[in-house]
Amino acid sequence: MSFLVEENPAEHRFEILVDDALAGFTAYVPRGEVLVFTHTEVDERFQNMGVGSALIRGTLDQIRARGGRVVPRCPFMAAFIERHPDYADLVTVDS
């Protein structure tokens, strides 16, 4: 099984493809360099397979690479960052 995480700026979300099928997304509201994440969804066919964590990890890695920051309003993303404190430096407060 291969995962690919890519941003879909037109839809304001990062999407994860599993073997070329859209398996989930995490949606955001852009605020300049800060992205406020509001909702994460994984298709039920792909749940309990690590797809959600791969989606969040891939999203955060891309945001880190471009020097961005996040506000994890989405409970799934907030819980992921809590479990992986090496991503805590990307979190900022929503102004």
Side-chain angles (χ1 to χ4, degrees):
M1 188 174 347
S2 68
F3 295 144
L4 172 67
V5 176
E6 55 188 13
E7 186 172 9
N8 180 341
E11 296 288 331
H12 295 267
R13 66 189 197 177
F14 282 80
E15 300 171 341
I16 187 163
L17 302 174
V18 177
D19 298 331
D20 296 325
L22 179 63
F25 64 88
T26 184
Y28 62 82
V29 177
R31 300 230 194 295
E33 288 302 303
V34 175
L35 300 180
V36 180
F37 283 87
T38 56
H39 179 70
T40 299
E41 200 171 294
V42 173
D43 186 293
E44 61 185 31
R45 295 174 300 149
F46 297 100
Q47 289 180 1
N48 303 313
M49 297 167 59
V51 172
S53 292
L55 168 61
I56 300 301
R57 184 181 308 280
T59 297
L60 294 173
D61 288 346
Q62 290 181 44
I63 291 168
R64 172 175 278 146
R66 67 188 192 205
R69 305 292 292 277
V70 301
V71 177
R73 283 225 190 109
C74 164
F76 187 85
M77 178 178 276
F80 180 91
I81 292 171
E82 210 167 280
R83 286 192 317 273
H84 301 89
D86 48 318
Y87 289 106
D89 63 305
L90 296 177
V91 176
T92 188
V93 292
D94 192 15
S95 50

